[in-house]
Each structure stands twice: as C-alpha cells, then as structure tokens.
Amino acid sequence: MKLPRFLSSSAYDMAIDLGTVNTVIHVRDRGIVLNEPSVIAIETRQGFRKVKVVGNEAKLMMGKTPANIQAIRPLRDGVIADIDVAEQMIKHFIDKALDGSRFGRRHEVVVCVPSGSTMVERRALRDAAANAGAARVQLIEEPMAAAIGAGLPVTEPRGAMVVDIGGGTTEVAVLSLRGIAYSNSARVGGDRMDDAIASHIRRNHNLMIGEATSERVKCEIGAATPPDGEGRRIIVKGRDLVNGRPAEMSISEAEIVDALAEPVGQIKMAVRTALEQTAPELAADIIDEGITLTGGGALLRRLDEALMEETGLPVKVADTPLMCVAMGAGKALEDPAYQGVLTIS
C-alpha cells in the first residue's frame, strides 16, 4: 500500500542554511518555510537553564536582557561556537518548519557548511542536526548551494563564479561540472561591517551604539562606494562616552562608506585572489558569465559596482540573495541532476 504523500517520510526532507545571522529552512515540495534570526534566549531559574524563545522574539531581546536571561547567537563565522545551544535552536526551528507534525520523524536533512570549515566543524554541524531529530544528515558546501540557488550552470563544463557574503564569512568559489574548482573563504561579512560602523562612530563621535543600531545603520545608509556629496543622513542613538548620558546624532552616508572601507576591501581582495588562482579556461568562461553575488552582504548598496570596478568583469546580484543557499540546497536534495554535490562527511 502506498502511503499518502503527507505521511511519507520524504515529505519532511529538508535543507537547512544554518547561518551566523539567519537560519533559512527549505522543505521538500514546499519551498522556503522558515527564515528567522539565529538567536536563542535562555532563561536560568533556580540553577536550571531552559529555552525561553528562539528566532525573531529572541533577536528583539539582544542587548536588553535581565541577569537571568541570555540572548545567545550560537554560531560565529559560519561555524558552531556553542554546540548544546545550537542543537536546541536547530530542534526548535525543525519543529517550527514542520508545524510540530508527528509524522515523518525519520526525515533526511541537508546542512550547508562553509567551504573553508574544518572536519571538526563539519562534524559539529552534522551531530547537531542528527541530535535534533534527523535520520540522515548530508552536507553541501555553501558556495555550491548558492550557485544552484542563483541558477548558475554548475552541472555543465563551464566556469561560474559565485561570491556568497554571509554574516560571518565571505565565500568565493569557481564551479564547474558539479564541483568546486577553486574556493577561498574570508572571515569577513555582515557582522564585521556592523563592528566597523560601531567602532567608527565610537572613535569619531564618542558615541557607543549597540549591535541592532549598527545593523540598522548598515541596512539604511550603508554603501560600498562614496555617494555624491554627503548622501543621505540618519539619526543614531546611543550612550555618550564623555558624560555617560544617552545621546543622539546625525550620521551621513559618506561617513559610513568610509567606515566600511576595510571590510569591503577584504571582500575585493578575496575576489581578486580567486581570479588570480583560477585556471585559464575557467577564467575565459567567467569573462562571459561574470560574477554572481549572493548572501545578505550582497544587498550592500553599490557593492556590485565596487567589484565591477575592481575586476573589470560584469557583476550581478542574484534575484533573492538571502534565500539562494537554502533554495540551492533544497534543489540539490530534490533534483537527481545535482547528484554528487551532497556529501556525508
């Protein structure tokens, strides 16, 4: 007897893009079902620790918790920093993605890993997913998943270059024939940009701002190349380091471009290094195909222009850069054409 589709275990197979900043889950035949911040709030009561909230609600608590509650980001630079907390977060997200369904508990999970991660880091990711309820865990390298999600011809004998700028790492890879011909990983991403903005404002204005504020500044007026004149302005609130009082001030786009010069420079350097190391035939293909940007960092204004200027090649931002990795991992799970891109270890 054939099981109805909703009872079969394959209906619950999923791909997880476990990012430093956001976790995105793709479920077989349903597409993207969850996109939430990789944050978990843990409450300690009478010596016992328990999960209070995860995801969106936990992110709102960042920097605002009392002594008995901790808002934690269990991933740093794309890898697990706290395995026990990460496990609980993954378990919560899997239950949420499946609407707490009891059927099909023996699901297969594909987890995205940074290409530069070590065997120990990969094992930690695999174990965390297995302990969270997966029957079988396979891994896919993030640049490969990003390229599949962006619709690049990774199965053909044609070079394609992808730059995946996440929260913790920037992955640059040249792909061909379902494999990675060259990849490098720089520990620079959205988090490093936020830190650069916070330290610039502290150094130049004696104003201490929090993580959420520096992220908001980056999203609203952050850019990779200078605007005409000062550009737009934004009001920033924080603590005055001179007199210790809450204060606010106006910051210009030109100033933020200046603050982001170093992390943007590191991304340019990673792309240039990749082009220098690429085989001549693949380099010839990249001239035609150009470079594709994915990941949340690809949304930084005029980053494509900055890279175009640096490399002299056409650069385009993928249609849904934040979802590319999860969508690509989901496609690799569903479509036999991508057989061979998933690994067990």
Side-chain angles (χ1 to χ4, degrees):
M1 187 182 83
K2 196 179 176 191
L3 278 171
R5 181 71 187 136
F6 70 93
L7 288 178
S8 78
S9 63
S10 68
Y12 298 93
D13 290 348
M14 64 178 75
I16 304 175
D17 172 17
L18 194 62
T20 309
V21 176
N22 285 311
T23 294
V24 185
I25 295 184
H26 178 289
V27 173
R28 188 192 285 271
D29 299 335
R30 282 169 56 199
I32 302 290
V33 295
L34 181 135
N35 176 17
E36 292 202 21
S38 303
V39 184
I40 181 167
I42 302 235
E43 186 175 20
T44 308
R45 276 208 177 156
Q46 296 165 342
F48 292 102
R49 298 173 84 205
K50 71 178 186 69
V51 177
K52 190 170 174 65
V53 285
V54 178
N56 290 320
E57 297 102 317
K59 192 181 181 186
L60 294 173
M61 297 182 178
M62 294 280 283
K64 299 178 182 181
T65 54
N68 66 323
I69 297 174
Q70 268 181 302
I72 304 166
R73 286 172 57 185
L75 287 103
R76 284 280 157 198
D77 298 332
V79 293
I80 291 178
D82 187 328
I83 190 156
D84 296 333
V85 174
E87 246 170 59
Q88 294 185 62
M89 186 179 79
I90 295 168
K91 195 173 281 181
H92 177 94
F93 282 148
I94 287 176
D95 284 347
K96 198 166 182 180
L98 298 176
D99 303 322
S101 171
R102 292 170 187 276
F103 299 119
R105 291 279 68 175
R106 308 293 295 160
H107 41 262
E108 190 175 321
V109 173
V110 173
V111 181
C112 306
V113 293
S115 59
S117 58
T118 63
M119 292 305 289
V120 173
E121 289 164 343
R122 287 171 186 230
R123 196 172 299 122
L125 277 166
R126 200 177 64 235
D127 292 350
N131 295 340
R136 180 166 182 246
V137 182
Q138 294 187 90
L139 306 179
I140 183 170
E141 300 205 340
E142 273 169 24
M144 176 60 80
I148 295 170
L152 297 182
V154 297
T155 57
E156 296 170 27
R158 220 160 83 214
M161 187 172 191
V162 69
V163 181
D164 180 41
I165 308 159
T169 55
T170 291
E171 312 256 347
V172 186
V174 178
L175 308 120
S176 174
L177 289 169
R178 296 189 189 85
I180 295 178
Y182 171 84
S183 77
N184 74 0
S185 181
R187 297 259 158 142
V188 59
D191 284 352
R192 191 68 63 83
M193 292 179 193
D194 295 346
D195 293 345
I197 289 168
S199 58
H200 175 89
I201 291 173
R202 188 170 63 241
R203 210 170 41 241
N204 293 283
H205 300 285
N206 287 320
L207 186 74
M208 176 84 90
I209 63 169
E211 257 181 66
T213 304
S214 48
E215 188 184 358
R216 183 172 64 86
V217 171
K218 175 187 71 181
C219 293
E220 290 189 20
I221 61 168
T225 58
D228 298 330
E230 274 198 338
R232 291 172 305 156
R233 298 189 76 86
I234 188 175
I235 298 292
V236 175
K237 298 170 186 174
R239 190 177 83 233
D240 191 314
L241 291 169
V242 177
N243 57 32
R245 290 199 295 258
E248 62 178 41
M249 62 180 50
S250 174
I251 301 286
S252 71
E253 187 179 340
E255 234 186 296
I256 298 305
V257 170
D258 202 31
L260 292 174
E262 193 197 340
V264 169
Q266 285 177 275
I267 293 169
K268 286 181 185 172
M269 175 72 79
V271 172
R272 207 166 56 231
T273 305
L275 290 168
E276 285 167 6
Q277 302 291 326
T278 302
E281 289 299 335
L282 291 172
D285 292 338
I286 293 166
I287 292 173
D288 302 329
E289 287 285 333
I291 299 170
T292 303
L293 304 183
T294 65
L299 297 171
L300 183 72
R301 282 173 198 78
R302 301 192 293 279
L303 181 59
D304 50 348
E305 289 172 30
L307 288 171
M308 218 180 288
E309 211 173 284
E310 182 74 19
T311 61
L313 295 168
V315 179
K316 68 175 191 291
V317 179
D319 292 341
T320 49
L322 285 164
M323 305 294 173
C324 275
V325 174
M327 278 162 47
K331 264 191 202 168
L333 177 67
E334 292 174 357
D335 192 341
Y338 296 110
Q339 208 170 7
V341 302
L342 302 174
T343 58
I344 302 294
S345 61

